[in-house]
Amino acid sequence: MTTATAAPAPQKKKMSPRKRAKIIRIIQYTVLALALVAVIAFSDGQQIMRTFFRPDLMQQTIGVGLLNALKNTILYTAGAFVFGLLLGTMLALMKLSQVAPYRWIATVYTEFFRGVPAIIVLLVFSLLPLALPGLRIPLDPYGTVWTALGLVSAAYMSETIRAGIEAVPKGQMEAARSLGMPSGMAMSRIILPQAFRIVTPPLTNELVLLTKDSSLVYVLGLTGEAFELTKYGRDLANTHANVTPLVIAGLSYLIITLPLTFLVRRMEARQKKAK
Amino acid sequence: MSAMTETTQPRRVPTGDREDEIQVYGLHKSFGELEVLKGIDLTVHRGEVVCVIGPSGSGKSTLLRCVNMLEQPTQGQVFIMNEEITDPDADIDRLRTMMGMVFQQFNLFPHLTATENCTIALTRVLKKSSADARRIAQENLAKVGLGDRGDSYPAKLSGGQQQRVAIARALSMDPEMMLFDEPTSALDPELVGDVLSVMRDLANGGMTMMVVTHEMAFARDVADRVIFMDGGVIVEEGPPDEVIGNPKEERTRLFLKRVLDPTHVNAGAEDAAYAERHKAARVHHHQED
């Protein structure tokens, strides 16, 4: 098969593949440079500044409120992540269980929460006390957000964790069992620590997604104290009829997400090296 | 020593003799359609070293794995220290602490140091204090010649060192007997000797051992009894000088000829025989996935 494709059709022009690649690259760079020049030439810098980066609004946005919003974003995210991680691990173990009903429950759960928009789960959850009088979600609004976003992220994380558990060689369980460990102990002491090491990069990616998903909290009727970045930016943007605060809020997310993605890349490189 | 080969009818009760540490009666094991063990009867006595040899796919590893229930036998009984491990109500975990198992692929816990590999079951299963556990681990690591590598993670050790840590890990449980599943098959040839010499020391120390191996010289030197398996049955067993030195059965002779002098075997015939044996095994593997 390889011998058939290895012999190329006789070329009309005498151009080596390497030379052709070089020419294509030159064309690409030229187009890119032209596009850049066009953008700069035709855009009005001041207009852009007025729309997206109004200095007085930037000054007003960056302050104690922004810090508080950043703190809340982190709080919402971290809580939902912890909740999702615990529930996700439980679901992953259920998916690998010998007991068929456990597997069914976990599968139905995962398919449901992966298929439903997080924003709807959040809205429904915030209205639960209305449907079930007497139900009080503790630490409102944090409890509501943690549970709702945690429920959704658990569905995604359970798939990742299940794959991690399955990636641990079968001999590890056998060695643990042959030392007299009961299966639960072997799972928690031997298999899970290795599985989590394997899935730390994808779970950190999940954390990045969750950080951005925490912006959905804006649909809840929150008080100023509980504002997270998006709600905070939106509020200020509405007041001043200018998008600058939202731009600032958006850039603030990078303070959280960039270090995380950097961390993931390093961990992945290290794992690749370890192999 | 060959009393059990005369037993035609599988027995249902243990002998009750403390010397009969492993008793296997009428053992069958099937993977789907493929019958890997077709009725094995076997007794391993206290302090005895039994080497199990035979072509790949003959069921010798499966036999070993049935002894400590890593594989569930389809039929038959296994008694460990006169307790039936195949009994559905048996406390398998407790019986397993009496049997150390050493695997072909070492199966060290990569997230734990050599010492921690040895201590984890001591503290978690046998409920030893961590100081006691560390002392026991240190003793056993020293016994396998790795007293100074306790803080190393498995990835930092050579294959031979890893396998010796695995032996130390099994010994730390102070087992009555040791099961070895092709312990040197995954090792580079120059590292085999260290592992074999540790096993030889164990044997000389009076440890009951059941060893599945391809190391004929080791079997001949160290074993009290050699069992030759082929096609899921015990074809021949006896003292090493008889089974390896002067085999009675044609199948044993053929196998030994192939193993001891591979250059003089007709390659085509060997390949055909191998393909035949593994046709069924491959089907089984797919099912397992």
Side-chain angles (χ1 to χ4, degrees), chain A residues 82-94:
Chain A
V82 170
F83 185 83
L85 194 63
L86 292 176
L87 185 60
T89 306
M90 215 175 80
L91 287 167
L93 293 174
M94 283 169 76

Side-chain angles (χ1 to χ4, degrees), chain B residues 19-39:
Chain B
E19 295 292 304
D20 300 339
E21 295 199 335
I22 303 174
Q23 299 168 51
V24 177
Y25 302 117
L27 188 69
H28 289 255
K29 174 65 185 174
S30 300
F31 293 106
E33 295 285 288
L34 182 75
E35 193 174 25
V36 180
L37 296 178
K38 302 172 181 166

Side-chain angles (χ1 to χ4, degrees), chain B residues 14 19 164 211:
Chain B
E19 295 292 304
R164 283 185 284 151
V211 186

